[in-house]
Every structure is written in structure tokens, then in C-alpha cells.
Amino acid sequence: MSSALPPVLAARARRNSQNPQLTRERLERFEAGLPQPLPSDFRDVLVAYNGLYLDPCATGLRDALGDEVHIDELLGLHDHDWTPVRLGGTDIPLDILVFTQQRGSVNRFGLQLVDRPDSPRGTVWFFDCNAETETSDLYVPSACAASFGEFLARLVPLPEDPRFFTPPLEGPTPAESLEKVPADVPTPEKPLVLAGHGHAVEDARLDIRVTTLFRDEGASTYRYQPDRATARYDLELRVDSTSDEDGQPAPYASAMPVTEANQGRHPTLAEWPGLVVGQEEPWDAWLGPDAPSLGGNRLTVLERSGAELKVRWEARYSREGQDLSLLFEGPVRIGGIRFEVASPEDIDRVLASAFGGRHQADEWTRIVGEQRDRGARVPEEGRYVFPVRLIPR
């Protein structure tokens, strides 16, 4: 099995025992849904391990924040509720197979499965959410290796260091490292319960972001297209920064499948109460910086009052082979709808496109900011924009 990895990685690799052994039939079914078969160097590792822990490894990259980019696992195929290896989706092209993410970040690494005019099949890409961009895309991609094998050869094993909710070796094991039984019940003072332990929350916010800039087909430029506008829903919790809790969590869900949960339609504000956003498709959600991804996400909207929703968010996460729980039950502030337009006259066109004609103007207060210059690198038609924000009434 070790021949599928460079020796320095094989010496420390541990197969993810929670993933099933990969059968030929399952691999064939998976490849049948891909635009091209898997490159052989990636296929060999997937067949040998089907997901593995490497412990922290340096990639030789730095992200847009200047931090060294580390990874500590490769994803596999499974039916569990945490992140599997999968084709890109929201903000990642569908010819990219996501196989790992940056440790402590939402940034991803993906494998290109088809030839493009400017990059061959097998190229490995790094998707950085903090890089500067003239678009509202979550990630900015950059090619980082010519092949998966080359990517593995660049990894440099690092000494293991404490993980999220893991204390220094000389300290005692904190209560958060094990599931508390019976678990705390969410309260107004501590609405977030992690591994059975209640946490105070400083802020909980639902943001609705609308995209009006889109990449030209076959080009690297973006065009302002108000009639193609799309909306996405992001949810973020922030633990009370004045508390003395260790390893401050910051649960975050990106591009929640809200429309799928509402029969393919964007909900009006009046339709949010009773909405259940379940597991129609995998969510992109994480426990916070230097923390694992969240699976099995289920959001139930219990009620709405003005610009505030009362919700129940349930999820699971895995740490060192332990399956732990997240439960949040409390108020979430609707941060509003945000986007940019070339002219205020385009606002209604953008809203009609983004929300499929279901936007109810009488539910929102519209705020239009002063025109700003987005820089000379931006195409002229999208260079000068007006920021728009809609706040619930």
C-alpha cells in the first residue's frame, strides 16, 4: 500500500478507518459520473487508502494572508456526513475534483480532470478565499502543481502540533475534548452547544450575497451581467470574545442550499418560518479556524420577527476519530442583501434575476451607497459601481 505515496509520506500515513475499503464497483460508479477518468497517480492513492491522515504537511505555498499553507489529510469516498472527495460546485468549477483543504481554513485543493486551452488535465489548483479579486467569487484559483504526484512530492512533513480543542501536552484534557453526557441544553445565555458543552455567542448572522460579475466563457475576464445575477446564503456564528473559553469556535456555513429546501424557489421573508434546510446536497460548513468541517447539517427556522430569525442548527464533526455534535438554537440576525451595480437603474433587474421574480420590495429597505472606482484592472463596464444593501423591515 505504501508504494502509492512517496516514502516520507507513507511512513506517517494512517488510513481513515471510518471510510470503507474501496471496492472496484464503487470506484467504477464514481468514475462514471466524472467528465474523464481519474489521473492514474491520484487513482492509485485513492484505491490504496480511500482517505488518509498525513498529520501536518507544508505545501510550500503561502495564502493571501501570508500564512504557510498546510494540509493534514486526503479525502476519500464514503457515505458519512463529513466532507468526501467530490467534484467542485459553488465557486469551484465542475471539472475540478476537490481532494483536500488547507488546515485551519476553508481554502481547497483540486485536481483538474479535463484538458483546458491554458492548462492540461491533471493540474492541481489551490483555491484561496482571501486573495484579491474584482469579482464576488469566494475563491481565487492558482495552479500549484503540474500533477497530483508532483503535489505529493512537494509536501514536507511537520511535527504534529495541538489541534482545535486539543490542549498542550503538559496540560489536562479539557472537557470539550469528549462528548458530555447528558449534553447541555441550549439557553439564551449559551445557545451554542459543542460536544455537549454550552457556549455564549456574541453574534449570529445570515448574509445574502448577490453576484453580478461573471467570467466570460473561454476567457479570464469578468463581465458585469445584471440579468444573470445569482444569490447565495451564508450563516456565521461568533463565540463571545469576552469569554475565557479556549479555542474559540466560529461555525460557518457557505452557500447553504436554501432554494433546494424551498422547492427550488428563493423564500420571501414571510416564508422563512418553518423552512427546513436539510441534506438535499452537501453543505460547505466548518467549525471555525483550524477546525474540522461540519457534516449532517440541518437548519430549521422556528420563527421570524423583523430582521431576526430564531433557528435550530444541527451538525456533526469528526476529530481524531471521534464523532461529536454541534447544536445551535437561538436568534440569527439577517444581515441583509448585498451587491453592486453599475447604475442604480439596474437594481430591480438584479433582484428579479437573483431571486427569480420572488423578491418582495415591501419587505426590505433599500440603501444605495456612493459610486466607487474598483480600479483600472477592471473592465470599463464594471469599473464604477454603486454598493447596494437591502435591510429587512
Side-chain angles (χ1 to χ4, degrees):
M1 190 162 66
S2 62
S3 62
L5 291 175
V8 69
L9 300 181
R12 64 192 283 155
R14 308 188 312 279
R15 196 183 80 82
N16 186 344
S17 60
Q18 298 184 83
N19 291 0
Q21 292 285 348
L22 189 59
T23 64
R24 183 178 64 182
E25 291 75 19
R26 177 159 194 160
L27 180 61
E28 289 176 349
R29 289 198 306 272
F30 178 69
E31 286 194 295
L34 303 178
Q36 292 287 337
L38 295 169
S40 59
D41 51 2
F42 180 84
R43 196 178 195 272
D44 290 344
V45 174
L46 184 65
V47 169
Y49 294 92
N50 193 29
L52 62 105
Y53 299 113
L54 292 170
D55 292 330
C57 290
T59 63
L61 302 174
R62 288 188 179 274
D63 61 20
L65 299 177
D67 295 329
E68 288 189 346
V69 177
H70 298 167
I71 68 168
D72 58 7
E73 67 174 315
L74 299 178
L75 304 176
L77 296 174
H78 56 74
D79 298 318
H80 305 300
D81 55 9
W82 56 83
T83 305
V85 61
R86 62 185 176 92
L87 284 176
T90 305
D91 298 310
I92 294 182
L94 288 173
D95 63 348
I96 296 292
L97 189 74
V98 176
F99 64 84
T100 190
Q101 68 185 56
Q102 179 180 349
R103 193 168 191 250
S105 172
V106 303
N107 295 337
R108 305 298 181 90
F109 285 90
L111 183 67
Q112 182 179 320
L113 297 182
V114 299
D115 287 320
R116 297 179 184 174
D118 55 351
S119 59
R121 176 176 179 268
T123 300
V124 175
W125 294 84
F126 176 56
F127 294 88
D128 191 345
C129 70
N130 297 302
E132 291 188 7
T133 176
E134 279 76 38
T135 78
S136 57
D137 291 350
L138 177 62
Y139 296 110
V140 175
S142 59
C144 62
S147 67
F148 181 69
E150 179 181 307
F151 174 79
L152 293 180
R154 292 182 179 180
L155 298 181
V156 177
L158 300 171
E160 175 64 282
D161 58 2
R163 294 176 178 238
F164 187 79
F165 281 154
T166 302
L169 294 177
E170 66 273 16
T173 301
E176 286 88 348
S177 66
L178 297 173
E179 190 93 28
K180 180 183 176 184
V181 180
D184 291 342
V185 175
T187 65
E189 294 75 25
K190 292 188 175 183
L192 176 63
V193 179
L194 294 173
H197 295 262
H199 295 258
V201 171
E202 183 176 87
D203 186 42
R205 188 178 73 252
L206 173 72
D207 286 319
I208 306 171
R209 295 183 171 88
V210 173
T211 300
T212 55
L213 284 175
F214 297 89
R215 187 189 295 271
D216 272 345
E217 299 242 346
S220 59
T221 60
Y222 286 79
R223 290 183 56 228
Y224 172 69
Q225 300 181 65
D227 294 320
R228 288 185 55 199
T230 59
R232 53 178 277 179
Y233 302 82
D234 299 336
L235 177 63
E236 182 176 10
L237 310 182
R238 196 167 64 227
V239 163
D240 184 0
S241 60
T242 64
S243 73
D244 58 0
E245 299 166 353
D246 294 330
Q248 300 285 351
Y252 178 78
S254 171
M256 295 187 299
V258 170
T259 55
E260 290 83 350
N262 195 45
Q263 300 179 330
R265 304 171 309 186
H266 291 275
T268 65
L269 283 179
E271 293 174 331
W272 276 92
L275 189 66
V276 179
V277 185
Q279 300 178 54
E280 292 81 5
E281 59 180 60
W283 293 25
D284 281 335
W286 302 269
L287 191 56
D290 201 13
S293 59
L294 296 170
N297 292 280
R298 181 182 176 89
L299 184 80
T300 304
V301 182
L302 304 174
E303 58 186 64
R304 180 181 75 88
S305 176
E308 188 174 276
L309 302 175
K310 183 177 180 182
V311 308
R312 181 181 178 89
W313 181 13
E314 303 161 86
R316 307 291 297 179
Y317 61 98
S318 180
R319 186 179 63 79
E320 295 295 334
Q322 297 184 53
D323 192 21
L324 304 174
S325 63
L326 174 148
L327 172 61
F328 171 80
E329 187 167 316
V332 170
R333 174 172 53 91
I334 303 175
I337 303 173
R338 298 175 185 268
F339 56 96
E340 295 175 331
V341 291
S343 166
E345 297 177 355
D346 293 340
I347 292 176
D348 289 329
R349 294 166 59 195
V350 169
L351 293 171
S353 171
F355 298 100
R358 292 181 52 77
H359 176 73
Q360 302 294 311
D362 59 349
E363 293 183 326
W364 304 85
T365 297
R366 184 178 300 184
I367 301 173
V368 182
E370 294 183 0
Q371 187 182 50
R372 66 184 185 90
D373 184 354
R374 300 175 68 242
R377 293 182 300 168
V378 181
E380 191 65 25
E381 62 177 321
R383 176 173 175 176
Y384 299 95
V385 296
F386 294 84
V388 180
R389 183 183 179 194
L390 277 67
I391 303 173
R393 290 180 176 170

